[in-house]
Structures are given as C-alpha cells and as structure tokens.
Amino acid sequence: MKFLRLSRFGWDYVSGKKIQGVGLILTRRCNLSCKYCKIKDNASGKRELSVAQWKKAVDNFAKNGHRHFIFTGGEPMLYSGLSELMDYTSKKALTSLITNASYLDDQTFPGLKNLDFLTFSRDSLGKDGTFEKDALPRLELISRWCRKLKITPSAIITVTSKNVKEVPDIVRKIDRYGISILLSYIHSSGEDSYEFRNHVPELEFRTRSDFQDLAAFQETMLRMKRDGFRIAESDNFIRNMINFAQGRYRLKCPATDPFFTVDVDGRIKPCHDIPASGVSALDFQDYFKMKHEVSKCIPAGCNCYYDCYFNSQDGFKNLLFQLLHR
Ligand code: SF4
Ligand code: SF4
C-alpha cells in the first residue's frame, strides 16, 4: 500500500461511508468466456474511447470530487493505453484494476507501477470447462510484484453451486501468499435487463441441497475468518448470502450515490450491470443534473449482491482490514 498516496487521496475514499469511485469499462473485449458473464463483446473495439478521451472523463469526475478510479472490462489489460491512462489518473486519485490475471507477467507488471489496488479473479479448477479463470500458477508472481510496487492485491472468487465445496481450499491456497480474498456470489434474476450477470440456473443456488451447501459454506467462511484467514468480506455479507439466494435480502443500492460506471464508449451508467444513460462522461457540465439523469436508468426494484456495493457502507472497516493484513 502506498501510504503517502493514501494520505493524499484516501480520506475521501474511506471517510464518506459511500463508494466514491468511478468504474471505467475500458473495453468489453475478453480472452475468456465465463458462463455467468454477458459483458464480453469482442467487437467493442470499434466503440472504445482513446486514451485522450478517457483522460477527459477522469478530469470531469475528479473535478467533482471523485478520488478513486477502477479500471475494468471485459479484460482491461487488453486496452493498449492502460499504462498511460493509469499514470495520468494516479496523479489525481487512487487507482484500482480488476483483471482475470491472464496477462499479468514479468513484462506487464512494470506498466502497473502507479496502481494502488489490484483485484484478480480466481475461480474453480472445474474440469468441465465451465470455469476458465485460474490465477493459481501466478500467485507467487502476483505476490512478488505487488510487494515490489507496493500494490495492495486481492483475489475475488465467484462462488457457485458447482464450486462451493472447493472454495475453502482455494482460499487457503491464496492466503498462503498473503493475499486477501473477496467473494463474488453468482446471481441472476432470469430477466434480460442486466449487462453483466448471465442467467445460468445450473450454477445458482436453487435447490434444498444447494442451500444446505451454502449454509455450510457460510459457517466455514466465518470460522476461517476467526482463524485469521484473510477473508475481506464482512460477517454480514457472508451471513446474508443465503438470505439473498432465498429472496430475503434487498440491497441498499449505492449506484449514483455517488458511485458511477463509464461504459466503453463514454456513456455513464449507474453501475456495470445496468444499461448506459445518454449522458457522456467526456462533456457533462452540471454534475447534479448528470447524476439525476443517470439515476433514472436504475430499474425499479433493482437488486444485486455484488460485494463492493454491499460493503460500500464499510469503507473505513475495509481500509483497516487492508492495512492490518499487509
Ligand atoms: S467475467 Fe471477466 S474474465 Fe469472465 S468473460 Fe466476463 S469479463 Fe471476461
Ligand atoms: S441494485 Fe444498484 S448496484 Fe445493484 S445492479 Fe441495481 S443499480 Fe446496480
């Protein structure tokens, strides 16, 4: 963790008790094809912004007090201007990268020198080809480079009914490298209105036996947390997974309050999972008018269980966790 940078930009990040960040979907291209993901679009190159345009978008949000930018995708490391954009953004705000880790190696890591937080995904080793993400062979490399560049790493595991029994073992393997673990949780509504989550009933928790597995998983995670494993999720998040699966949990949505996402073509979205508004991040003039317009895109009754949104009220607690576990 870059403490000087945190003291410069971090107070806004941790003290507001809200997500202050802006997610930037640099590309929708991806080298993988995870079954639960709809965001991949390998033709998105035609709509992608240039680095100069992304800089304008960053300036516009930074001018309005945003001090954390999250580079995401698709696979953001496929965007050729990533390093230049990251260097530019790091002068104005904290930077995060969410990657499937495929392109992290000794050649690419130096280009991430100005990154503050790295989140990479690590799913099951399922042999049926359902899960493709596997950062396990790269854990030593990721840990070594993150120490060298003072980047705070975390691994995010998507928990499904198919891999739920494997996850504790994955957590143990990642923890050995001093990397904290986030839990993403498979969910869909069966509707077509979302841009990220795909409808994959076979991976979701739907049957009585799925719920039993999930209940056992929750207890295992809580016990492992108490035993000192670096599981970053709050107890509250872990305990409510089954409530969400059974339709008994509703998120207090933080989108546009003040978290935003910018789509690949510069249009602002409430979050990565909701279709974009017509407002461009490059040239909006009135912040509050923009916020009003974008918030109108949130569908009535919208609900999700993404950990970052769930934990948005726990900014300070999350930061403390990161500090204590480095
Ligand atoms: S979840 Fe991530 S790695 Fe998987 S296809 Fe979607 S963008 Fe690519
Ligand atoms: S509830 Fe909010 S954060 Fe979740 S998908 Fe809907 S708009 Fe996005």
Side-chain angles (χ1 to χ4, degrees), residues 30-34 36-37 39-40 73-75 100 121 133 196:
C30 190
N31 57 317
L32 302 184
S33 304
C34 304
Y36 48 74
C37 170
I39 210 158
K40 174 177 169 170
E75 173 44 57
N100 65 33
S121 27
K133 299 178 200 167
F196 177 78

Side-chain angles (χ1 to χ4, degrees), residues 194 197 251 253-255 270-271 273-274 298-299 302-304 306 309:
Y194 294 107
R197 61 184 114 156
L251 181 84
C253 172
C271 79
D273 215 0
I274 300 299
I298 301 175
C302 198
N303 200 14
C304 69
Y306 296 115
Y309 303 139

Side-chain angles (χ1 to χ4, degrees), residues 19-36:
I19 301 186
Q20 302 278 355
V22 181
L24 309 179
I25 299 180
L26 300 185
T27 179
R28 286 180 178 233
R29 287 174 288 139
C30 190
N31 57 317
L32 302 184
S33 304
C34 304
K35 215 169 175 180
Y36 48 74

